[in-house]
Amino acid sequence: MPSDHRPALRLYAGPAARRHIEQHGLLPAHVGAVPGAAGGPKGLILGPLDRLIFGRWLPRADQPVHLIGASIGAWRMATACLPDCISGFERLERDYIAQDYELPPGSDRPTATQVSETFGANLAQFFGGHLAQVLHHPRYRLHVLTSRGRHLLRREHRLLTPLGYAGAFLANAVHRRALGAWLERVVFSTPMPMSPIPAPVPLPFAPDGLRTRQRPLTEANFMAALQASCSIPFLLKAVPDVAGAPRGAYWDGGITDYHLHLPYRLPASSPIVLYPHFQRAVVPGWLDKVWKRRHRPTPALDGTLVLAPDPRWVAALPGGKLPDRSDFTRYGTDLAARMAAWGTVVAMARQLADEFEAWLERPDPGRIEPL
């Protein structure tokens, strides 16, 4: 911990999660699900927590655990399923920090096609040779969230796509369920163990009113589904016609499920949703960021324990904030400066893991604040 003893980690819990910890503490066997939020570079601060949770803590038990992710959260949750997940998380960190794109002449940003092609190649290199192990992990059930376009958004188009997203924004402003007229949630889930047909494992959350489909995650569609989950509109190209799923354009899972504010349903023996996050609020969809009333907790999160950085600790980071996509513009072509800043943040984020590990040794409910 820094010399001024500024705490890094805060714990926030729903009422059911708090009661459970008061009565039973928190053991690895109590965890039934781990969500991974969208948020781009913000997810970098969670690397040390991921290495602790998936590399050293959860392996002490043997119950199935659902890993649900959107965008960078999907990449993180898939990394947790690798045979050597600690090395995988370290590589994810290095690769994300070092990403760089040669700018086209006269442009201040790479094209969406350029970013998509590079990203796809990087995913293939990152997970290549390990798909069977990821898809058939003995304990982890992976769920990759994507957003499938409907009507004007069914195909990516230079003019129709911006109009479609304007329609989605207006519909979502009226009611989140109305977003389903423009975009639907498509979840790609690992197959049922020992199933003779490629049926996906049951979803660990109940329907919440948003149009939802589920399809098996297979070796044939893994790369496409994961790339789609990370394909931010206008910054990357949509992924068309993912194998084994309805035809259409597939975009970032964070559009429908930014922070995975979902009505989780877990077994009584493993009722806790353990959520390493980069903030206290769990925002339902990306388009809900402007609607602050939708950032409040709901009964859907009653069993959730959120691990998040203290805002005062965040203020001490380089730039006084978490890494985000604005840093690509802020640092421009100065790759070394951005890498140095992000590397400093990642090094400082080890304090989050150290504090959580210390708390796990003696779980103190008094440290837990209301979510």
Side-chain angles (χ1 to χ4, degrees):
M1 190 175 291
S3 57
D4 60 0
H5 299 290
R6 178 185 295 113
L9 181 70
R10 293 176 75 167
L11 297 92
Y12 306 99
R18 184 184 180 95
R19 286 195 302 270
H20 176 95
I21 293 168
E22 289 173 342
Q23 296 170 12
H24 309 288
L26 184 64
L27 300 175
H30 298 161
V31 176
V34 181
K42 295 184 182 73
L44 286 171
I45 69 159
L46 303 176
L49 278 169
D50 286 340
R51 292 193 287 274
L52 166 64
I53 291 168
F54 294 109
R56 304 201 305 274
W57 190 65
L58 280 180
R60 300 175 189 173
D62 58 6
Q63 83 285 4
V65 182
H66 292 275
L67 311 185
I68 313 108
S71 200
I72 192 174
W75 189 358
R76 288 172 48 226
M77 296 301 102
T79 300
C81 299
L82 289 171
D84 182 359
C85 70
I86 292 180
S87 296
F89 283 121
E90 290 172 344
R91 180 178 176 183
L92 188 161
E93 208 169 77
R94 291 195 304 270
D95 289 358
Y96 201 100
I97 290 174
Q99 64 181 305
D100 188 33
Y101 304 93
E102 184 177 348
L103 299 181
S107 176
D108 61 353
R109 65 176 59 189
T111 66
T113 298
Q114 181 184 6
V115 176
S116 289
E117 289 176 351
T118 302
F119 184 69
N122 290 341
L123 282 183
Q125 187 179 54
F126 192 94
F127 290 103
H130 298 295
L131 293 191
Q133 293 157 304
V134 170
L135 296 174
H136 302 285
H137 193 282
R139 293 183 58 209
Y140 298 153
R141 312 293 184 249
L142 179 63
H143 305 269
V144 175
L145 274 65
T146 66
S147 303
R148 173 180 173 263
R150 305 182 69 230
H151 306 304
L152 291 183
L153 295 175
R154 190 170 184 273
R155 293 292 173 193
E156 191 167 22
H157 187 276
R158 182 172 60 88
L159 298 177
L160 297 183
T161 296
L163 288 174
Y165 273 105
F169 178 84
L170 292 174
N172 186 73
V174 175
H175 198 287
R176 174 164 160 76
R177 292 183 181 181
L179 177 64
W182 298 90
L183 293 154
E184 67 179 4
R185 173 196 294 134
V186 180
V187 187
F188 293 88
S189 303
T190 50
M192 288 283 290
M194 309 301 292
S195 175
I197 59 174
V201 297
L203 289 175
F205 53 87
D208 62 350
L210 188 66
R211 287 178 62 97
T212 301
R213 298 177 188 250
Q214 186 187 26
R215 291 294 185 270
L217 185 64
T218 67
E219 292 194 34
N221 64 21
F222 176 88
M223 295 299 180
L226 187 55
Q227 177 154 352
S229 187
C230 298
S231 292
I232 304 167
F234 311 113
L235 298 183
L236 285 86
K237 302 291 288 183
V239 176
D241 302 333
V242 178
R247 293 173 62 83
Y250 287 77
W251 274 285
D252 196 305
I255 304 171
T256 54
D257 293 284
Y258 191 42
H259 293 164
L260 304 146
H261 192 132
L262 299 166
Y264 294 97
R265 50 184 181 188
L266 299 173
S269 57
S270 304
I272 298 297
V273 178
L274 180 63
Y275 195 170
H277 196 17
F278 42 77
Q279 63 181 46
R280 180 180 189 173
V282 181
V283 182
W286 191 84
L287 298 176
D288 295 316
K289 291 199 298 182
V290 298
W291 309 115
K292 300 299 184 183
R293 66 182 181 276
R294 299 185 188 178
H295 301 190
R296 299 168 184 163
T298 69
L301 303 178
D302 279 359
T304 300
L305 174 64
V306 169
L307 316 176
D310 189 303
R312 292 168 297 181
W313 178 84
V314 171
L317 298 177
K321 65 176 185 59
L322 298 175
D324 59 38
R325 283 192 299 274
S326 71
D327 290 340
F328 288 106
T329 302
R330 177 184 181 187
Y331 292 102
T333 58
D334 193 348
L335 174 63
R338 176 173 60 78
M339 289 182 63
W342 285 7
T344 298
V345 170
V346 167
M348 293 176 66
R350 293 173 191 157
Q351 186 182 350
L352 296 168
D354 291 342
E355 291 184 13
F356 184 53
E357 187 170 29
W359 183 84
L360 286 170
E361 292 176 1
R362 187 175 295 178
D364 176 12
R367 285 278 311 277
I368 299 175
E369 302 173 64
L371 182 58

